[in-house]
């Protein structure tokens, strides 16, 4: 640590911005050297990569802006949520789900699993700490991660060799711009604040967004005698959660080992039509590309139906096209239809907040509200200058595990080389003495 500070100070003396550095040092902030990587985010991504690193003898520091791990899962998900994929595809590295868990664990079971995971690996995230900025300093060759901690005046700057961005794609709610949304007199909530249909019992509810969340919220509303209307603006693939006695995801992964993606897509669409029927008859039109190819091109995941489509076919859930405008208690759709509603649920998803604090544009590319690694999956985990990203490849929990293992292997290799160099230098120093 002392050697590092001497080296850093020497480099700063020759820094043309040294005067600015001296002025900054007078402010209420202090720097802390972190020998291992700094991980931003204590969700599944951050926990997975920290556990993989620890298993290889590499320490890390996890920074989390909330007061708990997996804050999205704990505070911003609805009660009936379950994993959409079988648990064997969703378990984090080095620690399986309990054998008594069902195939599709509930939200609470998943949170319990994450807590056990954290305890098992002895992970200790620093909570209530928001990353204000992270920037690679070429003058000293390290990352400088500036943070703000709730309730404290003194801000901390962490300095490290490696920075792992694990804050996820779901940091901030997306609220669409809809004409007249400010005039609507009913209740408007985002799914991040929706817990169950009890709050909207027997109401006429407009659900905006037809992804997995929007479809499941509609099903949940039906359980509470509400009358949901689903807005389907874009094309979307709806597939059964299970096909031929297997999970659709598992079947897809198995078929892809033997057949090209387009043939697998044709098989999935054929079976889906046999089980669900023609979704276009009910206002849900499919993209021209098949579900897997469309996901590869657009990043949009197919909807895995857990019973919603049956409610659509029976008329319990209405389907409408895009919204033209909202009025005090009604919505006008692009087809000219006008209907009254008591409330609106925005199932419009989330966006990453990485562009607001990561001061690098060439490593993780931001396109509007999406953040995507420079290289596509499965090689999107590594940038330059010790920058890594986990969980940004639109491949969910299975993709997180792949990223975490690769990042840990790469950093562990660098860590061992660094330790070897220090050991050699120490040996020669003792000989000189």
């Amino acid at each position: 640590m002392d050697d590092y500070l001497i080296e850093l100070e020497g480099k700063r003396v020759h820094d043309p911005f040294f005067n600015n550095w001296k002025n900054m040092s007078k402010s209420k902030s202090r720097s802390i050297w972190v020998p291992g990587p700094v991980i931003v985010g204590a969700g599944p991504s951050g926990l997975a990569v920290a556990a993989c690193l620890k298993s290889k003898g590499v320490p890390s520091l996890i920074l989390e802006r909330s007061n708990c791990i997996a804050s999205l899962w704990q505070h911003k998900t609805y009660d009936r949520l379950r994993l959409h994929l079988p648990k064997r595809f969703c378990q984090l590295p080095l620690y399986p789900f309990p054998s008594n868990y069902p195939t599709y664990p509930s939200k609470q079971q998943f949170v319990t699993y994450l807590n056990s995971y954290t305890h098992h690996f002895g992970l200790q995230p620093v909570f209530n700490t928001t990353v204000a900025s992270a920037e690679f300093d070429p003058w000293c060759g390290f990352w400088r991660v500036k943070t703000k901690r709730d309730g404290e005046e003194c801000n901390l700057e962490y300095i490290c060799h490696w920075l792992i961005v694990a804050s996820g794609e779901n940091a901030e709610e997306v609220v669409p711009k809809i004409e007249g949304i400010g005039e609507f007199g009913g209740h408007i909530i985002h799914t991040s604040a929706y817990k169950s249909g009890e709050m909207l019992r027997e109401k006429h509810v407009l659900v905006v967004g037809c992804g997995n969340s929007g479809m499941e919220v509609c099903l949940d509303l039906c359980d509470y005698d509400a009358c949901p209307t689903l807005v389907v603006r874009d094309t979307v693939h709806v597939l059964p959660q299970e096909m031929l006695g297997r999970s659709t995801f598992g079947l897809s992964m198995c078929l892809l080992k033997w057949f090209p993606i387009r043939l697998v897509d044709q098989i999935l669409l054929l079976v889906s039509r046999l089980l669900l029927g023609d979704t276009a008859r009910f206002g849900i039109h499919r993209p021209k590309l098949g579900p897997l190819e469309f996901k590869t091109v657009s990043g949009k995941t197919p909807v895995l139906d857990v019973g919603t489509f049956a409610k659509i076919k029976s008329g319990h859930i209405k389907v409408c096209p895009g919204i033209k405008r909202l009025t005090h208690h009604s919505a006008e759709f692009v087809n000219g239809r006008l209907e009254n509603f008591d409330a609106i649920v925005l199932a419009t998803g989330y966006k990453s907040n990485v562009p607001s604090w990561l001061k690098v544009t060439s490593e993780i590319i931001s396109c509007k509200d999406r953040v995507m690694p420079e290289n596509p999956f499965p090689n999107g985990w590594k940038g330059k200058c010790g920058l890594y990203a986990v969980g940004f490849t639109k491949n969910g929990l299975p993709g997180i595990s792949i990223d975490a293992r690769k990042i840990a292997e790469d950093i562990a290799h660098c860590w061992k080389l660094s330790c070897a160099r220090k050991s050699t230098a120490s040996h020669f120093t003792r000989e000189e003495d």
Side-chain angles (χ1 to χ4, degrees):
M1 174 61 182
D2 292 339
D3 293 340
Y4 157 74
L5 292 176
I6 293 172
E7 178 187 358
L8 179 61
E9 184 62 24
K11 291 181 178 181
R12 286 296 180 187
V13 169
H14 297 92
D15 188 338
F17 301 104
F18 182 58
N19 288 331
N20 289 338
W21 169 257
K22 289 193 295 184
N23 291 334
M24 288 173 59
S25 67
K26 297 176 182 178
S27 63
K28 292 183 178 180
S29 63
R30 59 190 179 95
S31 298
I32 297 177
W33 168 247
V34 180
V38 168
I39 302 171
V40 182
S45 296
L47 299 176
V49 73
C52 289
L53 285 165
K54 191 164 187 178
S55 71
K56 295 181 179 297
V58 182
S60 63
L61 175 69
I62 307 174
L63 302 178
E64 169 57 46
R65 66 175 181 172
S66 186
N67 62 352
C68 63
I69 64 165
S71 61
L72 177 72
W73 281 87
Q74 297 208 53
H75 299 317
K76 295 187 176 184
T77 50
Y78 42 92
D79 294 340
R80 72 173 293 139
L81 178 63
R82 288 182 172 273
L83 296 183
H84 292 117
L85 305 183
K87 62 182 180 181
R88 68 188 182 95
F89 295 110
C90 298
Q91 61 192 24
L92 300 186
L94 311 173
Y95 193 75
F97 277 103
S99 58
N100 63 339
Y101 271 29
T103 302
Y104 302 96
S106 67
K107 159 190 167 177
Q108 189 52 54
Q109 286 173 324
F110 185 57
V111 171
T112 300
Y113 165 76
L114 292 178
N115 281 319
S116 298
Y117 190 89
T118 303
H119 178 75
H120 177 78
F121 290 102
L123 307 179
Q124 297 180 319
V126 179
F127 296 116
N128 302 308
T129 301
T130 301
V131 174
S133 68
E135 186 172 13
F136 183 75
D137 190 335
W139 295 99
C140 65
F142 299 108
W143 283 92
R144 296 167 55 192
V145 184
K146 297 181 180 179
T147 66
K148 295 181 179 179
R149 187 168 172 79
D150 294 351
E152 294 185 7
E153 292 185 9
C154 180
N155 298 324
L156 297 180
E157 179 185 58
Y158 296 96
I159 301 172
C160 57
H161 278 290
W162 304 283
L163 175 66
I164 302 175
V165 181
S167 52
E169 301 169 297
N170 303 318
E172 308 289 347
E173 295 88 348
V174 172
V175 178
K177 294 181 180 179
I178 303 174
E179 183 180 344
I181 193 169
E183 302 174 14
F184 186 74
H187 195 39
I188 301 178
I189 60 170
H190 191 273
T191 47
S192 60
Y194 178 94
K195 295 304 176 185
S196 77
E198 178 63 43
M199 60 193 301
L200 297 171
R201 182 181 290 274
E202 299 181 355
K203 302 288 185 182
H204 286 78
V205 185
L206 181 65
V207 179
V208 182
C210 60
N212 280 304
S213 294
M215 297 283 270
E216 260 192 270
V217 165
C218 283
L219 184 61
D220 190 61
L221 287 167
C222 287
D223 290 344
Y224 290 90
D225 299 322
C227 300
T229 296
L230 179 66
V231 174
V232 182
R233 186 183 62 178
D234 301 318
T235 56
V236 61
H237 279 296
V238 179
L239 303 176
Q241 189 178 40
E242 295 189 342
M243 292 181 176
L244 307 177
R246 299 185 61 176
S247 73
T248 299
F249 181 82
L251 179 63
S252 301
M253 295 301 101
C254 181
L255 292 174
L256 285 173
K257 294 178 181 179
W258 302 98
F259 304 111
I261 188 171
R262 291 192 175 182
L263 179 57
V264 175
D265 274 340
Q266 290 177 11
I267 295 172
L268 294 179
L269 290 175
L270 175 62
V271 177
S272 179
R273 189 178 180 93
L274 290 174
L275 295 177
L276 299 179
D278 182 8
T279 60
R281 286 184 52 208
F282 302 93
I284 301 177
H285 299 274
R286 296 187 182 276
K288 292 181 179 180
L289 296 177
L292 300 182
E293 190 175 6
F294 185 67
K295 184 182 187 305
T296 301
V297 173
S298 68
K300 295 183 178 179
T301 303
V303 172
L304 295 177
D305 179 56
V306 293
T308 305
F309 198 70
K311 292 290 186 179
I312 292 174
K313 293 170 72 173
S314 66
H316 289 89
I317 299 173
K318 298 179 182 178
V319 175
C320 287
I323 302 170
K324 184 176 181 180
R325 67 172 64 90
L326 296 173
T327 60
H328 187 58
H329 276 295
S330 63
E332 181 182 351
F333 300 97
V334 292
N335 62 359
R337 177 179 169 184
L338 188 69
E339 190 169 340
N340 293 334
F341 294 98
D342 302 304
I344 298 175
V345 177
L346 300 175
T348 45
Y350 299 83
K351 62 182 179 181
S352 173
N353 65 0
V354 173
S356 68
W357 56 264
L358 183 61
K359 307 306 178 184
V360 178
T361 57
S362 61
E363 301 300 328
I364 294 181
I365 300 173
S366 174
C367 178
K368 293 184 179 179
D369 292 330
R370 290 178 60 195
V371 173
M372 295 292 288
E374 191 174 38
N375 299 313
F377 182 82
N379 300 310
W381 51 274
K382 186 175 182 179
K384 299 175 183 177
C385 302
L387 177 65
Y388 298 86
V390 53
F392 286 90
T393 51
K394 300 291 182 182
N395 284 280
L397 290 168
I400 286 172
S401 292
I402 294 172
D403 288 346
R405 292 180 186 274
K406 289 185 175 181
I407 291 171
E409 288 174 4
D410 195 66
I411 293 179
H413 176 71
C414 298
W415 177 268
K416 290 176 182 178
L417 290 177
S418 176
C419 291
R421 285 195 298 266
K422 289 179 181 177
S423 177
T424 302
S426 176
H427 173 74
F428 282 116
T429 301
R430 286 195 300 270
E431 285 189 349
E432 290 176 1
D433 292 342

